[in-house]
Amino acid sequence: MTDNDDRPGHLARRFQQIAAAIFHAEVEGAGYELTPVQYAALTSIRTHPGIDQATLAGLIAYDRTTIMGVVDRLVHKGLLLRQASSRDRRACELQITDEGQQILYGIEPAVAAAQRIMLRGLSAGEADDFLRLLRKAIAAGNELSRAPLREALTDVAKRE
């Protein structure tokens, strides 16, 4: 019988638990109240201002129906604005507020610290290898996910 420590699914779930705990501890310790998913949403919208919720869901590999709650909470916190789309009446464009920009600026040291703590048991070379192998495994399994990671249309257009 195989031990759980030999099962990649178990190890990935365990690392995610640790990563989330570290993120929360660092961010709350710095005086902020954002979840990892809220942070990912804000940084993606900062990079791609005016995207809609469906595009945001693809960019952070989050379920399209669940992303609505994430956006709702960020709007309620005053960090995001929903604006009617000029391209599609059914969609809303997402914009970060000035307060959202300030939060992202202020939270960066805590997020950077969290990333370092997550990898603290690895040498710099091992951390690079670990991240490279994670990216490789994720890319190979991306389409098997219920919420596959998608690139923004602007990213695809830039390469063409």
Side-chain angles (χ1 to χ4, degrees), residues 143-160:
E143 293 305 318
L144 302 173
S145 170
R146 290 186 200 176
L149 184 66
R150 302 278 184 233
E151 295 184 44
L153 292 176
T154 55
D155 291 342
V156 174
K158 285 179 190 173
R159 283 187 285 212
E160 291 177 355

Side-chain angles (χ1 to χ4, degrees), residues 12-133:
R13 180 190 61 80
R14 187 68 187 119
F15 189 77
Q16 170 56 26
Q17 288 175 320
I18 292 165
I22 292 168
F23 182 93
H24 285 289
E26 290 300 308
V27 166
E28 289 170 9
Y32 297 97
E33 291 185 30
L34 278 183
T35 68
V37 172
Q38 290 171 345
Y39 174 77
L42 284 175
T43 58
S44 292
I45 296 165
R46 176 179 57 193
T47 303
H48 307 282
I51 61 173
D52 60 36
Q53 288 181 180
T55 302
L56 174 61
L59 286 173
I60 64 172
Y62 216 67
D63 182 78
R64 287 175 65 161
T65 56
T66 310
I67 199 70
M68 185 183 299
V70 173
V71 170
D72 286 346
R73 284 185 284 286
L74 291 170
V75 168
H76 181 74
K77 289 181 176 188
L79 307 180
L80 272 187
L81 290 175
R82 276 192 189 109
Q83 299 171 327
S85 173
S86 57
R87 298 177 301 258
D88 182 350
R89 291 184 318 170
R90 297 167 294 171
C92 289
E93 295 177 355
L94 302 172
Q95 299 287 341
I96 297 180
T97 64
D98 289 342
E99 184 179 355
Q101 294 282 12
Q102 291 173 351
I103 295 281
L104 282 178
Y105 177 76
I107 202 173
E108 284 302 324
V111 172
Q115 305 311 300
R116 285 190 303 276
I117 293 167
M118 286 174 211
L119 300 175
R120 71 179 176 192
L122 304 176
S123 70
E126 289 170 332
D128 289 344
D129 288 343
F130 178 68
L131 293 174
R132 180 183 53 78
L133 292 170

